[in-house]
mmCIF file of all heavy atoms in Angstrom:
data_model
loop_
_atom_site.group_PDB
_atom_site.id
_atom_site.type_symbol
_atom_site.label_atom_id
_atom_site.label_comp_id
_atom_site.label_asym_id
_atom_site.label_seq_id
_atom_site.Cartn_x
_atom_site.Cartn_y
_atom_site.Cartn_z
ATOM 1 N N GLN I 1 110.062 96.883 51.190
ATOM 2 C CA GLN I 1 108.896 96.020 51.384
ATOM 3 C C GLN I 1 108.534 95.407 50.045
ATOM 4 O O GLN I 1 108.957 95.886 49.006
ATOM 5 C CB GLN I 1 107.709 96.796 51.961
ATOM 6 C CG GLN I 1 107.291 98.007 51.131
ATOM 7 C CD GLN I 1 106.072 98.707 51.680
ATOM 8 O OE1 GLN I 1 105.109 98.072 52.102
ATOM 9 N NE2 GLN I 1 106.101 100.041 51.707
ATOM 10 N N GLY I 2 107.724 94.338 50.083
ATOM 11 C CA GLY I 2 107.311 93.709 48.832
ATOM 12 C C GLY I 2 108.511 93.328 47.980
ATOM 13 O O GLY I 2 109.433 92.663 48.426
ATOM 14 N N ILE I 3 108.506 93.797 46.726
ATOM 15 C CA ILE I 3 109.606 93.494 45.810
ATOM 16 C C ILE I 3 110.445 94.740 45.511
ATOM 17 O O ILE I 3 111.045 94.860 44.439
ATOM 18 C CB ILE I 3 109.069 92.886 44.497
ATOM 19 C CG1 ILE I 3 108.058 93.837 43.831
ATOM 20 C CG2 ILE I 3 108.437 91.526 44.751
ATOM 21 C CD1 ILE I 3 107.620 93.381 42.443
ATOM 22 N N VAL I 4 110.494 95.671 46.459
ATOM 23 C CA VAL I 4 111.236 96.919 46.269
ATOM 24 C C VAL I 4 112.728 96.628 46.091
ATOM 25 O O VAL I 4 113.349 95.931 46.896
ATOM 26 C CB VAL I 4 111.016 97.867 47.465
ATOM 27 C CG1 VAL I 4 111.939 99.082 47.364
ATOM 28 C CG2 VAL I 4 109.561 98.317 47.520
ATOM 29 N N ASP I 5 113.304 97.166 45.018
ATOM 30 C CA ASP I 5 114.729 96.986 44.733
ATOM 31 C C ASP I 5 115.572 98.117 45.312
ATOM 32 O O ASP I 5 116.682 97.891 45.796
ATOM 33 C CB ASP I 5 114.953 96.935 43.215
ATOM 34 C CG ASP I 5 114.235 95.781 42.553
ATOM 35 O OD1 ASP I 5 114.500 94.629 42.939
ATOM 36 O OD2 ASP I 5 113.409 96.036 41.665
ATOM 37 N N ILE I 6 115.043 99.345 45.226
ATOM 38 C CA ILE I 6 115.808 100.515 45.636
ATOM 39 C C ILE I 6 114.972 101.367 46.585
ATOM 40 O O ILE I 6 113.820 101.687 46.282
ATOM 41 C CB ILE I 6 116.228 101.358 44.414
ATOM 42 C CG1 ILE I 6 117.044 100.512 43.432
ATOM 43 C CG2 ILE I 6 117.017 102.584 44.853
ATOM 44 C CD1 ILE I 6 117.355 101.229 42.125
ATOM 45 N N VAL I 7 115.550 101.739 47.710
ATOM 46 C CA VAL I 7 114.890 102.619 48.668
ATOM 47 C C VAL I 7 115.428 104.030 48.458
ATOM 48 O O VAL I 7 116.654 104.241 48.446
ATOM 49 C CB VAL I 7 115.155 102.168 50.119
ATOM 50 C CG1 VAL I 7 114.573 103.165 51.111
ATOM 51 C CG2 VAL I 7 114.578 100.780 50.359
ATOM 52 N N LEU I 8 114.516 104.993 48.273
ATOM 53 C CA LEU I 8 114.942 106.378 48.074
ATOM 54 C C LEU I 8 113.820 107.341 48.440
ATOM 55 O O LEU I 8 112.671 106.934 48.649
ATOM 56 C CB LEU I 8 115.411 106.595 46.632
ATOM 57 C CG LEU I 8 114.532 106.102 45.466
ATOM 58 C CD1 LEU I 8 113.365 107.023 45.225
ATOM 59 C CD2 LEU I 8 115.369 105.994 44.199
ATOM 60 N N ASN I 9 114.152 108.601 48.516
ATOM 61 C CA ASN I 9 113.178 109.657 48.805
ATOM 62 C C ASN I 9 112.454 110.002 47.502
ATOM 63 O O ASN I 9 113.051 110.587 46.591
ATOM 64 C CB ASN I 9 113.886 110.881 49.370
ATOM 65 C CG ASN I 9 112.903 111.963 49.818
ATOM 66 O OD1 ASN I 9 111.749 112.007 49.374
ATOM 67 N ND2 ASN I 9 113.351 112.840 50.690
ATOM 68 N N LEU I 10 111.177 109.676 47.426
ATOM 69 C CA LEU I 10 110.428 109.847 46.179
ATOM 70 C C LEU I 10 110.104 111.298 45.877
ATOM 71 O O LEU I 10 109.585 111.607 44.801
ATOM 72 C CB LEU I 10 109.133 109.025 46.241
ATOM 73 C CG LEU I 10 109.307 107.516 46.398
ATOM 74 C CD1 LEU I 10 107.950 106.831 46.434
ATOM 75 C CD2 LEU I 10 110.159 106.937 45.282
ATOM 76 N N GLU I 11 110.392 112.203 46.825
ATOM 77 C CA GLU I 11 110.153 113.626 46.567
ATOM 78 C C GLU I 11 111.378 114.301 45.969
ATOM 79 O O GLU I 11 111.322 115.463 45.577
ATOM 80 C CB GLU I 11 109.706 114.323 47.847
ATOM 81 C CG GLU I 11 108.331 113.843 48.319
ATOM 82 C CD GLU I 11 107.797 114.633 49.495
ATOM 83 O OE1 GLU I 11 108.598 115.332 50.145
ATOM 84 O OE2 GLU I 11 106.592 114.536 49.759
ATOM 85 N N ASN I 12 112.489 113.582 45.923
ATOM 86 C CA ASN I 12 113.698 114.105 45.287
ATOM 87 C C ASN I 12 113.768 113.644 43.833
ATOM 88 O O ASN I 12 113.032 112.757 43.413
ATOM 89 C CB ASN I 12 114.948 113.634 46.030
ATOM 90 C CG ASN I 12 115.031 114.230 47.426
ATOM 91 O OD1 ASN I 12 114.441 115.279 47.706
ATOM 92 N ND2 ASN I 12 115.771 113.568 48.301
ATOM 93 N N GLU I 13 114.679 114.248 43.089
ATOM 94 C CA GLU I 13 114.857 113.861 41.694
ATOM 95 C C GLU I 13 115.269 112.394 41.615
ATOM 96 O O GLU I 13 116.124 111.932 42.379
ATOM 97 C CB GLU I 13 115.922 114.737 41.033
ATOM 98 C CG GLU I 13 116.096 114.460 39.551
ATOM 99 C CD GLU I 13 117.047 115.443 38.888
ATOM 100 O OE1 GLU I 13 117.419 116.435 39.533
ATOM 101 O OE2 GLU I 13 117.426 115.188 37.728
ATOM 102 N N LEU I 14 114.672 111.671 40.713
ATOM 103 C CA LEU I 14 114.953 110.246 40.586
ATOM 104 C C LEU I 14 116.356 110.021 40.015
ATOM 105 O O LEU I 14 116.729 110.638 39.011
ATOM 106 C CB LEU I 14 113.904 109.587 39.690
ATOM 107 C CG LEU I 14 112.466 109.692 40.211
ATOM 108 C CD1 LEU I 14 111.489 109.114 39.189
ATOM 109 C CD2 LEU I 14 112.313 108.973 41.548
ATOM 110 N N PRO I 15 117.147 109.129 40.632
ATOM 111 C CA PRO I 15 118.562 108.977 40.267
ATOM 112 C C PRO I 15 118.806 107.988 39.129
ATOM 113 O O PRO I 15 119.556 107.021 39.272
ATOM 114 C CB PRO I 15 119.175 108.450 41.576
ATOM 115 C CG PRO I 15 118.083 107.598 42.152
ATOM 116 C CD PRO I 15 116.783 108.308 41.798
ATOM 117 N N PHE I 16 118.140 108.229 37.996
ATOM 118 C CA PHE I 16 118.323 107.316 36.864
ATOM 119 C C PHE I 16 118.807 108.099 35.636
ATOM 120 O O PHE I 16 118.477 109.275 35.457
ATOM 121 C CB PHE I 16 117.012 106.602 36.543
ATOM 122 C CG PHE I 16 116.509 105.750 37.670
ATOM 123 C CD1 PHE I 16 115.447 106.176 38.459
ATOM 124 C CD2 PHE I 16 117.111 104.535 37.966
ATOM 125 C CE1 PHE I 16 114.982 105.409 39.514
ATOM 126 C CE2 PHE I 16 116.656 103.767 39.017
ATOM 127 C CZ PHE I 16 115.597 104.194 39.799
ATOM 128 N N LYS I 17 119.568 107.423 34.800
ATOM 129 C CA LYS I 17 120.085 108.066 33.600
ATOM 130 C C LYS I 17 118.942 108.390 32.635
ATOM 131 O O LYS I 17 117.897 107.745 32.641
ATOM 132 C CB LYS I 17 121.104 107.147 32.917
ATOM 133 C CG LYS I 17 122.367 106.913 33.734
ATOM 134 C CD LYS I 17 123.325 105.995 32.985
ATOM 135 C CE LYS I 17 124.596 105.758 33.796
ATOM 136 N NZ LYS I 17 125.545 104.849 33.099
ATOM 137 N N ASP I 18 119.165 109.380 31.810
ATOM 138 C CA ASP I 18 118.178 109.752 30.806
ATOM 139 C C ASP I 18 117.906 108.567 29.870
ATOM 140 O O ASP I 18 118.820 107.806 29.524
ATOM 141 C CB ASP I 18 118.663 110.934 29.973
ATOM 142 C CG ASP I 18 118.738 112.222 30.795
ATOM 143 O OD1 ASP I 18 118.355 112.180 31.987
ATOM 144 O OD2 ASP I 18 119.190 113.248 30.255
ATOM 145 N N GLU I 19 116.644 108.447 29.484
ATOM 146 C CA GLU I 19 116.190 107.434 28.521
ATOM 147 C C GLU I 19 116.579 106.019 28.949
ATOM 148 O O GLU I 19 117.100 105.227 28.156
ATOM 149 C CB GLU I 19 116.724 107.754 27.115
ATOM 150 C CG GLU I 19 116.240 109.116 26.606
ATOM 151 C CD GLU I 19 116.477 109.331 25.128
ATOM 152 O OE1 GLU I 19 117.024 108.424 24.476
ATOM 153 O OE2 GLU I 19 116.086 110.393 24.621
ATOM 154 N N SER I 20 116.275 105.694 30.202
ATOM 155 C CA SER I 20 116.597 104.373 30.744
ATOM 156 C C SER I 20 115.450 103.371 30.646
ATOM 157 O O SER I 20 115.680 102.164 30.638
ATOM 158 C CB SER I 20 117.013 104.485 32.218
ATOM 159 O OG SER I 20 118.197 105.228 32.364
ATOM 160 N N PHE I 21 114.190 103.873 30.578
ATOM 161 C CA PHE I 21 113.034 102.991 30.714
ATOM 162 C C PHE I 21 112.052 103.139 29.551
ATOM 163 O O PHE I 21 111.868 104.225 28.997
ATOM 164 C CB PHE I 21 112.298 103.272 32.025
ATOM 165 C CG PHE I 21 113.160 103.065 33.246
ATOM 166 C CD1 PHE I 21 113.777 104.141 33.866
ATOM 167 C CD2 PHE I 21 113.369 101.793 33.763
ATOM 168 C CE1 PHE I 21 114.582 103.954 34.978
ATOM 169 C CE2 PHE I 21 114.162 101.589 34.875
ATOM 170 C CZ PHE I 21 114.777 102.679 35.490
ATOM 171 N N ASP I 22 111.406 102.020 29.240
ATOM 172 C CA ASP I 22 110.332 102.031 28.242
ATOM 173 C C ASP I 22 109.009 102.466 28.862
ATOM 174 O O ASP I 22 108.177 103.091 28.202
ATOM 175 C CB ASP I 22 110.155 100.629 27.646
ATOM 176 C CG ASP I 22 111.414 100.115 26.971
ATOM 177 O OD1 ASP I 22 111.781 100.685 25.929
ATOM 178 O OD2 ASP I 22 112.028 99.163 27.494
ATOM 179 N N ILE I 23 108.806 102.102 30.122
ATOM 180 C CA ILE I 23 107.548 102.385 30.834
ATOM 181 C C ILE I 23 107.876 102.761 32.276
ATOM 182 O O ILE I 23 108.748 102.155 32.902
ATOM 183 C CB ILE I 23 106.621 101.147 30.851
ATOM 184 C CG1 ILE I 23 106.332 100.651 29.442
ATOM 185 C CG2 ILE I 23 105.309 101.456 31.583
ATOM 186 C CD1 ILE I 23 105.718 99.254 29.394
ATOM 187 N N ILE I 24 107.169 103.760 32.783
ATOM 188 C CA ILE I 24 107.205 104.080 34.210
ATOM 189 C C ILE I 24 105.785 103.969 34.738
ATOM 190 O O ILE I 24 104.859 104.548 34.163
ATOM 191 C CB ILE I 24 107.763 105.483 34.474
ATOM 192 C CG1 ILE I 24 109.229 105.557 34.049
ATOM 193 C CG2 ILE I 24 107.625 105.856 35.958
ATOM 194 C CD1 ILE I 24 109.860 106.932 34.219
ATOM 195 N N THR I 25 105.604 103.200 35.808
ATOM 196 C CA THR I 25 104.283 103.081 36.433
ATOM 197 C C THR I 25 104.317 103.755 37.806
ATOM 198 O O THR I 25 105.321 103.695 38.520
ATOM 199 C CB THR I 25 103.846 101.612 36.576
ATOM 200 O OG1 THR I 25 104.813 100.874 37.328
ATOM 201 C CG2 THR I 25 103.677 100.963 35.210
ATOM 202 N N ALA I 26 103.195 104.377 38.148
ATOM 203 C CA ALA I 26 103.087 105.101 39.432
ATOM 204 C C ALA I 26 101.645 104.975 39.919
ATOM 205 O O ALA I 26 100.832 105.873 39.732
ATOM 206 C CB ALA I 26 103.481 106.560 39.260
ATOM 207 N N THR I 27 101.308 103.836 40.511
ATOM 208 C CA THR I 27 99.940 103.600 40.959
ATOM 209 C C THR I 27 99.779 104.007 42.418
ATOM 210 O O THR I 27 100.529 103.549 43.286
ATOM 211 C CB THR I 27 99.542 102.120 40.795
ATOM 212 O OG1 THR I 27 100.490 101.287 41.476
ATOM 213 C CG2 THR I 27 99.519 101.735 39.327
ATOM 214 N N ASN I 28 98.820 104.886 42.654
ATOM 215 C CA ASN I 28 98.454 105.310 44.014
ATOM 216 C C ASN I 28 99.636 105.872 44.797
ATOM 217 O O ASN I 28 99.845 105.535 45.960
ATOM 218 C CB ASN I 28 97.835 104.140 44.789
ATOM 219 C CG ASN I 28 96.606 103.578 44.109
ATOM 220 O OD1 ASN I 28 95.828 104.319 43.532
ATOM 221 N ND2 ASN I 28 96.459 102.268 44.140
ATOM 222 N N ILE I 29 100.383 106.753 44.145
ATOM 223 C CA ILE I 29 101.520 107.369 44.824
ATOM 224 C C ILE I 29 101.459 108.899 44.789
ATOM 225 O O ILE I 29 101.904 109.564 45.723
ATOM 226 C CB ILE I 29 102.866 106.868 44.222
ATOM 227 C CG1 ILE I 29 104.059 107.388 45.028
ATOM 228 C CG2 ILE I 29 102.982 107.230 42.750
ATOM 229 C CD1 ILE I 29 104.100 106.933 46.453
ATOM 230 N N PHE I 30 100.872 109.483 43.746
ATOM 231 C CA PHE I 30 100.825 110.943 43.638
ATOM 232 C C PHE I 30 100.246 111.595 44.890
ATOM 233 O O PHE I 30 100.743 112.614 45.368
ATOM 234 C CB PHE I 30 99.993 111.365 42.424
ATOM 235 C CG PHE I 30 100.755 111.402 41.126
ATOM 236 C CD1 PHE I 30 101.918 110.661 40.959
ATOM 237 C CD2 PHE I 30 100.303 112.165 40.077
ATOM 238 C CE1 PHE I 30 102.623 110.686 39.770
ATOM 239 C CE2 PHE I 30 101.003 112.209 38.876
ATOM 240 C CZ PHE I 30 102.160 111.476 38.721
ATOM 241 N N GLU I 31 99.158 111.027 45.423
ATOM 242 C CA GLU I 31 98.465 111.657 46.550
ATOM 243 C C GLU I 31 99.280 111.623 47.838
ATOM 244 O O GLU I 31 98.997 112.363 48.787
ATOM 245 C CB GLU I 31 97.092 111.002 46.777
ATOM 246 C CG GLU I 31 97.121 109.596 47.334
ATOM 247 C CD GLU I 31 97.212 108.515 46.281
ATOM 248 O OE1 GLU I 31 97.589 108.838 45.129
ATOM 249 O OE2 GLU I 31 96.905 107.350 46.611
ATOM 250 N N HIS I 32 100.297 110.762 47.878
ATOM 251 C CA HIS I 32 101.101 110.614 49.104
ATOM 252 C C HIS I 32 102.389 111.423 49.081
ATOM 253 O O HIS I 32 103.165 111.367 50.042
ATOM 254 C CB HIS I 32 101.430 109.131 49.318
ATOM 255 C CG HIS I 32 100.222 108.287 49.552
ATOM 256 N ND1 HIS I 32 99.370 108.481 50.623
ATOM 257 C CD2 HIS I 32 99.701 107.259 48.843
ATOM 258 C CE1 HIS I 32 98.389 107.595 50.566
ATOM 259 N NE2 HIS I 32 98.559 106.856 49.487
ATOM 260 N N LEU I 33 102.635 112.171 48.010
ATOM 261 C CA LEU I 33 103.840 112.972 47.902
ATOM 262 C C LEU I 33 103.484 114.452 47.989
ATOM 263 O O LEU I 33 102.755 114.965 47.144
ATOM 264 C CB LEU I 33 104.552 112.694 46.586
ATOM 265 C CG LEU I 33 104.988 111.244 46.340
ATOM 266 C CD1 LEU I 33 105.669 111.131 44.989
ATOM 267 C CD2 LEU I 33 105.896 110.750 47.446
ATOM 268 N N TYR I 34 103.980 115.120 49.006
ATOM 269 C CA TYR I 34 103.695 116.557 49.130
ATOM 270 C C TYR I 34 104.335 117.314 47.975
ATOM 271 O O TYR I 34 103.774 118.255 47.443
ATOM 272 C CB TYR I 34 104.211 117.079 50.475
ATOM 273 C CG TYR I 34 103.775 118.495 50.748
ATOM 274 C CD1 TYR I 34 102.460 118.761 51.132
ATOM 275 C CD2 TYR I 34 104.653 119.564 50.595
ATOM 276 C CE1 TYR I 34 102.035 120.062 51.358
ATOM 277 C CE2 TYR I 34 104.235 120.859 50.821
ATOM 278 C CZ TYR I 34 102.928 121.106 51.205
ATOM 279 O OH TYR I 34 102.511 122.396 51.434
ATOM 280 N N THR I 35 105.527 116.873 47.605
ATOM 281 C CA THR I 35 106.205 117.412 46.421
ATOM 282 C C THR I 35 106.392 116.259 45.448
ATOM 283 O O THR I 35 107.177 115.354 45.702
ATOM 284 C CB THR I 35 107.578 117.999 46.790
ATOM 285 O OG1 THR I 35 107.402 118.992 47.780
ATOM 286 C CG2 THR I 35 108.250 118.595 45.564
ATOM 287 N N PHE I 36 105.657 116.263 44.365
ATOM 288 C CA PHE I 36 105.658 115.112 43.455
ATOM 289 C C PHE I 36 106.190 115.453 42.077
ATOM 290 O O PHE I 36 106.063 114.690 41.141
ATOM 291 C CB PHE I 36 104.246 114.532 43.314
ATOM 292 C CG PHE I 36 103.214 115.549 42.911
ATOM 293 C CD1 PHE I 36 102.929 115.787 41.583
ATOM 294 C CD2 PHE I 36 102.547 116.271 43.877
ATOM 295 C CE1 PHE I 36 101.989 116.729 41.216
ATOM 296 C CE2 PHE I 36 101.608 117.228 43.516
ATOM 297 C CZ PHE I 36 101.328 117.456 42.199
ATOM 298 N N GLY I 37 106.836 116.619 41.968
ATOM 299 C CA GLY I 37 107.364 117.028 40.670
ATOM 300 C C GLY I 37 108.385 116.065 40.113
ATOM 301 O O GLY I 37 108.530 115.936 38.903
ATOM 302 N N ALA I 38 109.107 115.359 41.005
ATOM 303 C CA ALA I 38 110.138 114.435 40.529
ATOM 304 C C ALA I 38 109.541 113.302 39.711
ATOM 305 O O ALA I 38 110.138 112.840 38.736
ATOM 306 C CB ALA I 38 110.911 113.865 41.715
ATOM 307 N N ILE I 39 108.339 112.859 40.100
ATOM 308 C CA ILE I 39 107.714 111.760 39.359
ATOM 309 C C ILE I 39 107.250 112.233 37.990
ATOM 310 O O ILE I 39 107.494 111.594 36.973
ATOM 311 C CB ILE I 39 106.557 111.153 40.153
ATOM 312 C CG1 ILE I 39 107.101 110.398 41.366
ATOM 313 C CG2 ILE I 39 105.729 110.214 39.278
ATOM 314 C CD1 ILE I 39 106.061 109.673 42.160
ATOM 315 N N ILE I 40 106.562 113.377 37.974
ATOM 316 C CA ILE I 40 106.130 113.899 36.678
ATOM 317 C C ILE I 40 107.363 114.268 35.844
ATOM 318 O O ILE I 40 107.387 114.109 34.627
ATOM 319 C CB ILE I 40 105.188 115.097 36.874
ATOM 320 C CG1 ILE I 40 103.874 114.619 37.499
ATOM 321 C CG2 ILE I 40 104.926 115.806 35.563
ATOM 322 C CD1 ILE I 40 102.819 115.669 37.663
ATOM 323 N N GLY I 41 108.406 114.742 36.531
ATOM 324 C CA GLY I 41 109.638 115.083 35.843
ATOM 325 C C GLY I 41 110.437 113.870 35.400
ATOM 326 O O GLY I 41 111.498 114.012 34.775
ATOM 327 N N SER I 42 109.945 112.695 35.714
ATOM 328 C CA SER I 42 110.638 111.462 35.339
ATOM 329 C C SER I 42 110.626 111.240 33.834
ATOM 330 O O SER I 42 111.190 110.250 33.347
ATOM 331 C CB SER I 42 109.981 110.260 36.031
ATOM 332 O OG SER I 42 108.618 110.139 35.642
ATOM 333 N N ILE I 43 110.023 112.167 33.101
ATOM 334 C CA ILE I 43 110.016 112.063 31.638
ATOM 335 C C ILE I 43 111.445 111.922 31.107
ATOM 336 O O ILE I 43 111.684 111.278 30.091
ATOM 337 C CB ILE I 43 109.300 113.291 31.008
ATOM 338 C CG1 ILE I 43 109.126 113.095 29.506
ATOM 339 C CG2 ILE I 43 110.025 114.584 31.336
ATOM 340 C CD1 ILE I 43 108.220 114.134 28.856
ATOM 341 N N LYS I 44 112.401 112.499 31.841
ATOM 342 C CA LYS I 44 113.804 112.392 31.400
ATOM 343 C C LYS I 44 114.288 110.947 31.400
ATOM 344 O O LYS I 44 115.132 110.564 30.594
ATOM 345 C CB LYS I 44 114.705 113.226 32.317
ATOM 346 C CG LYS I 44 114.485 114.729 32.210
ATOM 347 C CD LYS I 44 115.548 115.497 32.985
ATOM 348 C CE LYS I 44 115.533 115.135 34.458
ATOM 349 N NZ LYS I 44 116.559 115.898 35.229
ATOM 350 N N ALA I 45 113.773 110.148 32.334
ATOM 351 C CA ALA I 45 114.213 108.752 32.452
ATOM 352 C C ALA I 45 113.549 107.833 31.439
ATOM 353 O O ALA I 45 113.942 106.674 31.298
ATOM 354 C CB ALA I 45 113.953 108.241 33.866
ATOM 355 N N LEU I 46 112.546 108.360 30.732
ATOM 356 C CA LEU I 46 111.847 107.565 29.723
ATOM 357 C C LEU I 46 112.542 107.655 28.371
ATOM 358 O O LEU I 46 113.035 108.713 27.977
ATOM 359 C CB LEU I 46 110.409 108.063 29.564
ATOM 360 C CG LEU I 46 109.358 107.542 30.530
ATOM 361 C CD1 LEU I 46 108.045 108.281 30.306
ATOM 362 C CD2 LEU I 46 109.149 106.039 30.384
ATOM 363 N N LYS I 47 112.540 106.548 27.668
ATOM 364 C CA LYS I 47 113.004 106.562 26.289
ATOM 365 C C LYS I 47 111.992 107.322 25.429
ATOM 366 O O LYS I 47 110.823 107.453 25.798
ATOM 367 C CB LYS I 47 113.148 105.129 25.770
ATOM 368 C CG LYS I 47 114.180 104.294 26.519
ATOM 369 C CD LYS I 47 114.204 102.860 26.004
ATOM 370 C CE LYS I 47 115.174 102.002 26.794
ATOM 371 N NZ LYS I 47 115.173 100.590 26.329
#
């Protein structure tokens, strides 16, 4: 939907290489994930 590039299960580990991004944004999504550790764990994908 919208401008979504990749469809995936947001409760699973994010499939991106380490240190891939300068910024990760997550607006109004934490409350909708029963298991949201993957997003907080996305620190690996950040430079």
